[in-house]
Amino acid sequence: GTGQNAERPTETMSGDEEAVANPLLEIPLLPGSRRMRIATGFTREDNPEILRLSTMVLRLAILNFAMIVFFRVVARVWTLASGQPLGTDWIVGAVINLGLASLVLWCGVMGVRSRNRPCLRSCSCGFLTAFYLIYLLFCCVSLLLLASVIRVLVHFGPAAFVVWIFLVRLFLLALRIATAVYSHRLLVAIDRDKINAPPVHIALASRSSPDDAAAAREPPSESEEGI
């Protein structure tokens, strides 16, 4: 009747129904945020340690990118306030710096979303592995820069500008060390989860000719039934 053909009202899915419809876990970039989310390659049935480490790696990757942009803008504002103009070299340096920072951020996000899928078909290095190695390099560079600032402090005294640079370098070093540590822990957790995964048994069917397959589909004859 008309009652059966009538359109049903749209129903809103609850949180559990939405989780079933979209099994891939979405990690909020900010705690409690429902809008700023990034989809991962993991589900809610995966190891809780992997989900926790994925959340930390993504948030640290975003924070590193934000800090690079923030401190670069602050440094240029300071330069303008001191009366020095911005030349072409600053624009080129800013474009290169932001481009590299965006590439590193994309590498980290893809590492979590793809479960450390290889970057290239001819390369066994995964996105997350590359992200971890890059931050190991960042830690070494930040340590050298911090040592140079400490040397300036020892020779010229605690000037306000030098102290500010020292605190910034120290903060960036701590942030990059934390990013490298959590990335390494996530890599270890993913590898451990692959090792502990139950084996998949695949039944291999024997090859048969088309005539055998056709004979198997034909019904038995009367003589065969009598036998």
Side-chain angles (χ1 to χ4, degrees), residues 56-98:
M56 291 300 301
V57 169
L58 280 179
R59 290 178 179 175
L60 286 171
I62 295 292
L63 183 58
N64 276 278
F65 179 79
M67 289 298 100
I68 290 175
V69 175
F70 173 75
F71 286 122
R72 190 166 187 85
V73 170
V74 170
R76 295 314 156 190
V77 170
W78 194 313
T79 302
L80 289 175
S82 62
Q84 299 179 6
L86 296 179
T88 309
D89 56 344
W90 178 85
I91 299 176
V92 174
V95 171
I96 295 176
N97 195 359
L98 293 178

Side-chain angles (χ1 to χ4, degrees), residues 11-39:
E11 298 178 357
T12 58
M13 292 190 300
S14 62
D16 296 337
E17 292 175 345
E18 186 177 358
V20 173
N22 185 17
L24 294 180
L25 182 66
E26 293 184 352
I27 295 177
L29 298 183
L30 297 176
S33 176
R34 294 186 177 181
R35 295 182 179 180
M36 301 176 61
R37 292 175 175 265
I38 294 181

Side-chain angles (χ1 to χ4, degrees), residues 112-193:
V112 175
R113 295 186 65 177
S114 64
R115 292 173 174 257
N116 196 28
R117 188 185 66 193
C119 302
L120 301 173
R121 294 182 178 178
S122 58
C123 178
S124 60
C125 180
F127 283 101
L128 188 60
T129 305
F131 181 77
Y132 165 66
L133 295 176
I134 289 172
Y135 268 92
L136 279 184
L137 178 62
F138 282 173
C139 290
C140 296
V141 173
S142 297
L143 187 60
L144 293 176
L145 293 175
L146 183 63
S148 64
V149 175
I150 293 175
R151 184 178 179 182
V152 172
L153 281 173
V154 172
H155 284 275
F156 298 99
F161 181 73
V162 180
V163 172
W164 183 82
I165 294 179
F166 170 77
L167 294 176
V168 170
R169 295 297 182 189
L170 184 62
F171 171 75
L172 290 178
L173 176 61
L175 182 61
R176 287 163 180 174
I177 289 176
T179 306
V181 168
Y182 277 100
S183 300
H184 181 261
R185 289 181 180 179
L186 180 58
L187 285 171
V188 172
I190 292 175
D191 292 339
R192 189 187 303 119
D193 190 69

